[in-house]
Amino acid sequence: MHQNPLKKHIQSFQGCLHGGLIKESAEKYGLSEDEILDFSANLNPLKTPFDHPEYGLDFLKLAAESYPETYNYPDNRYLRFREAAASFLNSGITSDIRLTEENIIPGNGSTEIIRLFCQCVLNDGDKVIIPYPTFGEYEIQCRVQNAEIVYIPQEKIETITAEELTQIGAKILFICNPNNPTAVLRKREDLMLLAEKCKKSETVLFMDEAFIELSDPLQSVCDLVADNKFIFIMRSLTKCFEIPGIRLGFGVAHPEIAGALNAARLSWNLSPLQENVGAALMEIDGGVNSDYLKKSRELILKEANFLKEELTKIWGFKPGVATTNFLLVDISERTVKSTELVERFAKNGILIRNCISFHGLGEDYIRIAVRTRPENEKFIKTISIVFDEWAKDFADSELKSALTTHKQGLQQNKRETCEYYPCHFEGQDCTFCYCPFYPCKDERGGGKYIQSSKGGQVWSCVDCYIPHIPSVVESMMEGLMEEGETEDILKKEWDEIILPIMEEKDADHVLELCRKIKEENEKNPPKKGRVS
């Protein structure tokens, strides 16, 4: 048997999980690509400047102008692109420093820039520092080089010293600003101090500024490369100009570093179309302070705060800071985990980012892109649909669990170990923790419509005690143990057990007992409440 010729650490290599899987999701869920709203990829919601005639950019014209150049190899110097990138950066620099094309390394997307830099800096076994959680491609490209990853929490960056950096002995410290996926934006002053610490310890500060134009360009530290060989800046045109399919990014470094990286990068890594499109976009009047990017930042800030406000109203959703075109949402208080939630949203035509691939987050977080108001409102409404579907499936699962427990001769009954017990009254039967009739929409049992935090009305069972009365539970379990379809049995039980109680015809006066429980709870309410 022949051995695998690949390096050992590559043979079982796992790639990085990304958003933007529109085609794959359409195939998986039987949807057309036009039906899908992508909240998993962080792009400019204002759309590309090519969609705004007022900026004088014509993609088809650029494509036509680039066509004759396809008969020749590209000019591997990429002078127009590099000059445009330097000018674009200079438009946001408030110091006297001016960058030139000698500082620029063109890339076929920002991921190629990460790969190139890691290839040129790292040897087998070299250490790199990755504060978590952050963009997964840093880890992936470092592992390709067989580097050792030293993880530190994001909060540690504020206090790390030059001595600690020296002790760790890392070749690179990766910082994303604003950070993906947390959206935390670090101040320029703090990053300047960090750059000095890195220079002193001879650790390269790799600054990923892919989202800086959509957040606050004043926090950029790209000008520091002029006299510092231990800082490297990465920029992306994908995010700010909404052109992920064109694949454009660039690195910014000290001329000596940039010259070596340009010599080492893949030859002809940009097509003529890529160079011309990238240059045209960066030559937009005003650069990073163009009317287009100013409007983009205004729209993003407005819509990010709208989304954050709406998500905060939803129980168990805790959105993070709103600084750029995405929000990290903590869902750890919800029963449903991120993987299932992402799946349910996708089935409803909306893609959100599962954060399970971000080191340190697990299944307790999702990331939401910031889009236009109509799209954001549709996303908020879809949350209600998703959780209604989940509630019905959860109710069915709970019912099956109760039946299995009963068949095995085990009793759930009070469930004193439940953090919500007693959610209704002392001595209740909790076999049906989640009501199998939800939502019955019959107010005679004590349930009612209440105002939902997501907007609109939602059915609440908070004042309905019927499924927790021991005699009712016993009768229901007897019926459910009979042969037949569960749906048919539940309909029969509703008609024969629940409905008579609602209509005050029950021989055991269960309804009267419910009223007494309600009166007692109004005098001495349980410490914790729960909606079935």
Side-chain angles (χ1 to χ4, degrees):
M1 183 177 179
H2 295 293
Q3 292 184 344
N4 191 326
L6 297 177
K7 295 177 181 179
K8 277 191 175 181
H9 71 280
I10 297 294
Q11 290 178 18
S12 58
F13 203 79
Q14 297 280 325
C16 189
L17 178 66
H18 291 292
L21 305 178
I22 294 177
K23 188 176 291 291
E24 183 178 325
S25 299
E27 293 172 359
K28 182 176 180 180
Y29 300 107
L31 302 170
S32 70
E33 293 181 33
D34 292 340
E35 291 179 272
I36 294 176
L37 264 181
D38 189 5
F39 279 80
S40 69
N42 310 320
L43 303 172
N44 190 337
L46 193 60
K47 309 300 288 183
T48 168
F50 297 119
D51 290 331
H52 297 272
E54 64 268 29
Y55 300 117
L57 292 171
D58 188 331
F59 182 83
L60 294 179
K61 183 181 178 182
L62 284 169
E65 291 172 352
S66 302
Y67 181 71
E69 298 179 52
T70 60
Y71 291 101
N72 301 310
Y73 282 99
D75 180 354
N76 195 47
R77 297 174 301 167
Y78 296 112
L79 294 178
R80 183 189 174 194
F81 181 92
R82 291 163 61 198
E83 288 171 358
S87 178
F88 184 71
L89 293 174
N90 287 335
S91 67
I93 294 175
T94 56
S95 67
D96 294 331
I97 293 172
R98 285 295 172 265
L99 302 176
T100 71
E101 73 278 1
E102 293 185 354
N103 296 107
I104 307 299
I105 309 103
N108 195 288
S110 57
T111 49
E112 186 189 50
I113 294 295
I114 302 172
R115 170 71 68 92
L116 171 66
F117 190 77
C118 290
Q119 282 179 327
C120 293
V121 173
L122 299 174
N123 295 309
D124 273 17
D126 279 347
K127 292 180 180 179
V128 299
I129 301 173
I130 300 181
Y132 65 89
T134 196
F135 186 43
E137 283 291 343
Y138 312 143
E139 176 184 342
I140 294 298
Q141 300 309 328
C142 288
R143 290 202 183 282
V144 168
Q145 307 307 320
N146 204 24
E148 179 184 341
I149 313 295
V150 178
Y151 295 105
I152 63 173
Q154 283 284 340
E155 298 75 23
K156 176 64 177 173
I157 294 302
E158 274 63 54
T159 59
I160 198 165
T161 65
E163 290 71 27
E164 288 175 303
L165 289 169
T166 301
Q167 186 176 11
I168 293 171
K171 286 286 191 71
I172 309 171
L173 166 61
F174 289 92
I175 299 290
C176 185
N177 195 47
N179 186 47
N180 178 14
T182 64
V184 170
L185 177 67
R186 289 188 163 87
K187 297 297 182 184
R188 172 179 165 85
E189 294 77 14
D190 296 332
L191 293 171
M192 291 175 70
L193 290 173
L194 181 61
E196 285 302 313
K197 295 174 187 176
C198 287
K199 184 177 182 180
K200 185 177 179 181
S201 63
E202 296 191 351
T203 301
V204 180
L205 177 59
F206 186 106
M207 283 298 309
D208 180 348
E209 296 184 342
F211 297 98
I212 201 75
E213 294 93 350
L214 300 180
S215 183
D216 183 1
L218 290 176
Q219 306 313 319
S220 171
V221 289
C222 63
D223 57 318
L224 300 187
V225 304
D227 60 358
N228 186 343
K229 297 177 185 178
F230 284 90
I231 184 168
F232 181 87
I233 310 294
M234 186 187 78
R235 299 292 274 262
S236 169
L237 304 186
T238 291
K239 314 298 190 297
C240 62
F241 292 119
E242 207 229 13
I243 52 166
I246 301 291
R247 308 308 307 137
L248 281 170
F250 59 92
V252 191
H254 184 279
E256 182 181 331
I257 303 298
L261 290 174
N262 271 316
R265 66 174 162 80
L266 287 171
S267 299
W268 316 301
N269 59 333
L270 299 186
S271 70
L273 178 61
Q274 284 174 296
E275 179 176 22
N276 291 334
V277 168
L281 289 170
M282 290 187 289
E283 288 165 355
I284 192 170
D285 188 30
V288 298
N289 293 308
S290 64
D291 178 70
Y292 167 77
L293 285 174
K294 282 182 178 179
K295 286 181 177 177
S296 298
R297 291 190 285 271
E298 289 169 3
L299 174 64
I300 287 167
L301 187 60
K302 179 182 177 182
E303 292 306 311
N305 280 305
F306 167 76
L307 273 174
K308 180 171 182 176
E309 182 179 348
E310 293 301 307
L311 290 169
T312 302
K313 296 175 185 176
I314 302 171
W315 180 84
F317 273 48
K318 296 179 180 178
V321 294
T323 66
T324 188
N325 58 327
F326 55 89
L327 290 170
L328 181 68
V329 185
D330 182 342
I331 60 167
S332 57
E333 290 186 3
R334 307 263 353 184
T335 303
V336 64
K337 294 300 181 182
S338 64
T339 301
E340 182 180 356
L341 199 57
V342 167
E343 183 96 0
R344 289 181 177 275
F345 267 99
K347 288 178 181 177
N348 281 277
I350 289 184
L351 305 184
I352 59 176
R353 180 67 158 85
N354 188 356
C355 290
I356 193 169
S357 65
F358 289 100
H359 186 85
L361 292 187
E363 288 195 282
D364 288 333
Y365 293 84
I366 56 174
R367 192 191 66 198
I368 308 298
V370 175
R371 296 182 65 105
T372 63
R373 180 59 59 90
E375 292 169 327
N376 293 334
E377 287 177 339
K378 183 174 181 180
F379 168 71
I380 296 297
K381 289 179 181 177
T382 304
I383 295 176
S384 297
I385 297 170
V386 165
F387 277 105
D388 281 348
E389 292 173 350
W390 173 82
K392 290 173 184 175
D393 291 343
F394 182 70
D396 183 59
S397 174
E398 285 286 300
L399 179 58
K400 290 176 181 176
S401 175
L403 284 170
T404 300
T405 302
H406 190 80
K407 286 176 181 178
Q408 292 174 346
L410 303 172
Q411 296 299 320
Q412 291 172 297
N413 297 336
K414 294 182 181 179
R415 284 193 189 171
E416 279 105 338
T417 55
C418 175
E419 61 178 311
Y420 295 104
Y421 179 82
C423 53
H424 287 329
F425 57 93
E426 293 286 348
Q428 67 193 34
D429 191 307
C430 295
T431 298
F432 298 108
C433 178
Y434 200 94
C435 181
F437 302 112
Y438 180 86
C440 72
K441 302 180 182 179
D442 194 321
E443 295 186 355
R444 290 175 292 181
K448 60 185 177 182
Y449 277 104
I450 61 171
Q451 186 67 30
S452 168
S453 60
K454 302 184 287 292
Q457 300 284 303
V458 64
W459 183 256
S460 169
C461 304
V462 71
D463 291 326
C464 178
Y465 314 105
I466 296 173
H468 292 295
I469 304 295
S471 59
V472 174
V473 174
E474 186 177 345
S475 298
M476 288 178 63
M477 288 304 299
E478 287 178 6
L480 285 165
M481 296 302 291
E482 295 176 3
E483 295 293 328
E485 294 291 330
T486 303
E487 189 175 338
D488 295 334
I489 293 173
L490 283 174
K491 186 180 184 308
K492 180 182 177 183
E493 294 198 337
W494 174 265
D495 293 337
E496 296 182 0
I497 300 174
I498 306 300
L499 201 55
I501 298 172
M502 301 278 199
E503 296 174 346
E504 302 187 51
K505 296 176 182 177
D506 183 73
D508 295 328
H509 305 290
V510 175
L511 186 61
E512 183 180 344
L513 177 58
C514 288
R515 287 171 178 163
K516 288 181 179 178
I517 293 168
K518 185 174 182 179
E519 290 173 5
E520 184 63 30
N521 281 350
E522 286 174 351
K523 294 177 184 176
N524 302 295
K527 292 181 180 179
K528 292 184 178 180
R530 181 173 182 170
V531 178
S532 296

